[in-house]
Amino acid sequence: MAEHSFHIGTPAAGAAALALLAVLLPASAGAAAGGPASRHPGPGDVTGSGTAAASRFVPGPCPKTPEPIEALATARCGVLEVPENRARPGGRTIRLAVAVIPATSAKPAQDPVVFMSGGPGGETFDDIPFLVDSGLNRDRDLIIMAQRGNLYDEPNLACPELDRFNATSVGLPSYAPRTRELMLDAVKQCRDRLTADGTDLTAYNSTENAADFADLRTALGIKRWNVYGHSYGSDLAMTYLRLHPQGIRAVALDSFTPPQSVSLPFAWAGAQEGLERLYEACAAEPRCKSRYPNLRRTLNEQVRKLEVRPLTLNVRPPQGGDPVKVVLDGGALLNVLVAKAIPFADVPAAIEELGRGRPERFARARAAGSVQVEGQTAHGLTNSVVCSEWVPGHSPSDVLAAGRRAFPGWPDPVLAQAPQLAFQEQVCRVWDVPDRTAMQRVAPVSSVPTLFFNGTFDMKTGASWAQKTARTLPRSTTVQVPGIGHWVVPQSPCAQKVLASFLTRPTAPDTGCVAGLKWEPFTITPK
């Protein structure tokens, strides 16, 4: 499964087609009647009226994905045309890829589910197989829209320069000056290329993203729908609920990322919480406790040791291919764990083996990052959201202080960089988009029924943040699934049942299956 968010990753009928066509008719009918939506501007067109072009849905073929996605064979696809920057009348129009996947039920409910993917910048269509396998389109149509800048959109804010840097960075010390220099050079190359093409990077933010989804509901003629957001998509869903509450029946939030709190210091809190919950689970399992009694101490020692004397190895990536150079230092250890690059069941064994001079599990996990799919992630959207909404308002000393609170005694060079968000202060000086925190860091207040899913081992978005946010959402339910990391629903049949129940009865979901859940037993290796 693709991992998303904080890279914060990643991870997809004749009668049904007629029913789907009826849903989409309002947009095409408006065009046929010559109304406001009848104009067909291209992605670079500029309107001459002095107002932003009207948003409209234009039916068309489904995207050609690298690997066939079965659900797209019966989907109704097209693009949503929206203004790139709603605050700048007369600007260009962009196109966002849309797919409506029909419900498998013979009598589907009238209120569909719209999905908001993680990242920001994660490839949305790649998530469709996981959503379908989780039953999202069992009783309702499932609507997928690639957030602005994503793959299959026009423009696509991919940064192959950053993909190439990420592939080579596994062989570099995590936070060395040379590593920073190479990363910033890749960021600058991408920014220069995108702006030269006329892209307004200030327009790729959660406010515009939310407005796109509001326009999509109207363009498709949908009276009410349900929202399911994962990771950054949960941040976006809360922004959408706050700014465009009309037509929202219920909201489900998976691996919740609170818009009022997400920041570089927040990343340290999530890493600490998820790792502590894993330690506690091992201590509660007699075999794990007996075999690995000193996990916290061993990892702390190895972070300190390897930050002073990193290991350099040649390792074959898990995906196959030739061995690659890998550098294991203190920062790499934590980033591997936060990224869930080692299965949670194997983490105690990996830490214990590392302490005995056997770094292979960590090294292979680090080597996995050398395999990048160039152009798949919209790093342009990532940087515009992170630099306008997450980074401002906190100094480097705030990040370091948060790191010290999370992991006392770790080396400052490790703690000065938020997990999976290295060098962001410098990146954002290069990216140069305005501070939007005043309008974005707002706690949601709503009576719309809301369901929170979080995994107890999630080191990207700690499970406790859902409970804090639920205080301003009086009709909310919080669910914690033991032993699960980022993106809960595709990994948990129980969570899938709870979500289905919530969509049927948003104010009274059946959470009974959660009480009996346990984490997967930890791997016990011979001494």
Side-chain angles (χ1 to χ4, degrees):
M1 177 173 23
E3 276 290 317
H4 296 298
S5 182
F6 291 177
H7 312 313
I8 180 175
T10 246
L18 287 174
L20 212 53
L21 182 59
V23 173
L24 300 179
L25 269 178
S28 52
S38 62
R39 186 176 182 273
H40 291 258
D45 284 358
V46 176
T47 62
S49 62
T51 59
S55 299
R56 61 190 307 271
F57 179 79
V58 180
C62 294
K64 301 295 184 183
T65 57
E67 298 294 330
I69 296 175
E70 183 178 353
L72 290 180
T74 55
R76 176 76 175 181
C77 294
V79 295
L80 182 73
E81 295 181 341
V82 296
E84 182 176 49
N85 190 333
R86 292 172 173 84
R88 294 182 178 175
R92 72 176 181 173
T93 299
I94 62 176
R95 289 187 172 115
L96 313 181
V98 176
V100 183
I101 299 168
T104 58
S105 170
K107 295 182 178 180
Q110 294 302 302
D111 44 277
V113 179
V114 63
F115 175 62
M116 298 182 180
S117 63
E123 204 287 276
T124 306
F125 279 71
D126 192 44
D127 293 336
I128 291 174
F130 304 116
L131 299 171
V132 169
D133 289 347
S134 299
L136 265 295
N137 71 319
R138 187 187 68 184
D139 299 316
R140 290 168 170 78
D141 291 349
L142 170 63
I143 300 175
I144 305 294
M145 181 167 73
Q147 294 163 26
R148 50 177 48 208
N150 271 208
L151 187 66
Y152 311 122
D153 289 344
E154 298 177 24
N156 168 14
L157 270 59
C159 292
E161 304 90 343
L162 272 168
D163 293 325
R164 290 190 288 270
F165 163 77
N166 289 334
T168 60
S169 67
V170 302
L172 301 171
S174 297
Y175 305 132
R178 178 57 177 163
T179 306
R180 180 183 66 234
E181 178 185 334
L182 291 172
M183 181 179 184
L184 296 181
D185 183 61
V187 169
K188 185 177 186 303
Q189 288 181 43
C190 180
R191 188 189 196 284
D192 289 348
R193 178 175 50 77
L194 293 176
T195 54
D197 288 342
T199 300
D200 179 2
L201 295 177
T202 70
Y204 292 80
N205 56 65
S206 297
T207 300
E208 292 284 5
N209 264 345
D212 294 340
F213 280 93
D215 285 352
L216 178 65
R217 184 183 67 83
T218 302
L220 296 184
I222 296 170
K223 183 177 179 181
R224 289 201 312 168
W225 66 8
N226 307 280
V227 178
Y228 171 48
H230 151 244
S231 193
Y232 166 70
S234 67
D235 179 337
L236 175 58
M238 287 286 91
T239 303
Y240 173 61
L241 176 63
R242 178 168 57 85
L243 298 178
H244 306 279
Q246 304 84 1
I248 301 177
R249 175 177 176 265
V251 179
L253 306 164
D254 192 327
S255 305
F256 180 55
T257 305
Q260 72 272 27
S261 305
V262 65
S263 62
L264 298 185
F266 166 88
W268 276 118
Q272 189 268 343
E273 180 177 350
L275 191 55
E276 282 296 322
R277 298 291 287 273
L278 188 145
Y279 290 153
E280 291 167 2
C282 180
E285 190 177 293
R287 294 180 71 227
C288 189
K289 180 179 180 180
S290 174
R291 180 66 184 84
Y292 313 116
N294 301 308
L295 287 180
R296 183 185 289 100
R297 185 178 72 188
T298 300
L299 181 62
N300 291 348
E301 290 172 349
Q302 291 301 309
V303 168
R304 290 192 292 264
K305 174 183 174 182
L306 292 180
E307 190 61 20
V308 175
R309 292 187 179 86
L311 289 174
T312 301
L313 310 95
N314 287 315
V315 183
R316 194 180 305 277
Q319 302 95 318
D322 296 331
V324 298
K325 177 186 173 184
V326 166
V327 172
L328 277 185
D329 54 14
L333 296 186
L334 181 66
N335 283 316
V336 161
L337 292 172
V338 172
K340 204 181 75 172
I342 297 175
F344 291 126
D346 296 341
V347 166
I351 292 174
E352 191 270 344
E353 289 167 356
L354 183 67
R356 292 193 292 112
R358 294 181 52 198
E360 289 81 10
R361 290 186 199 256
F362 275 95
R364 284 196 300 271
R366 174 88 158 142
S370 68
V371 181
Q372 299 280 326
V373 181
E374 281 194 23
Q376 186 171 41
T377 299
H379 294 290
L381 175 61
T382 307
N383 286 337
S384 286
V385 170
V386 170
C387 291
S388 64
E389 301 174 14
W390 297 3
V391 169
H394 297 283
S395 68
S397 62
D398 293 331
V399 178
L400 178 59
R404 287 172 174 169
R405 287 192 298 272
F407 298 100
W410 281 22
D412 279 357
V414 174
L415 302 178
Q417 305 294 335
Q420 294 196 300
L421 290 165
F423 311 126
Q424 288 304 299
E425 292 281 346
Q426 297 94 325
V427 165
C428 291
R429 284 198 289 271
V430 173
W431 204 252
D432 191 26
V433 289
D435 180 348
R436 299 181 56 82
T437 55
M439 62 190 75
Q440 183 62 22
R441 289 186 188 159
V442 180
V445 179
S446 176
S447 61
V448 171
T450 307
L451 174 65
F452 293 90
F453 284 112
N454 283 86
T456 58
F457 292 174
D458 190 346
M459 299 181 201
K460 297 182 180 182
T461 54
S464 65
W465 290 97
Q467 295 170 320
K468 297 170 186 174
T469 302
R471 297 167 189 163
T472 61
L473 300 166
R475 301 174 78 190
S476 62
T477 302
T478 60
V479 173
Q480 291 191 15
V481 181
I484 297 290
H486 214 57
W487 205 4
V488 175
V489 168
Q491 301 180 72
S492 170
C494 173
Q496 294 165 19
K497 293 178 183 176
V498 173
L499 179 56
S501 169
F502 172 73
L503 292 174
T504 301
R505 297 181 303 278
T507 58
D510 182 358
T511 62
C513 64
V514 178
L517 293 178
K518 288 283 287 182
W519 55 87
E520 179 184 352
F522 292 106
T523 300
I524 306 299
T525 58
K527 290 186 178 180

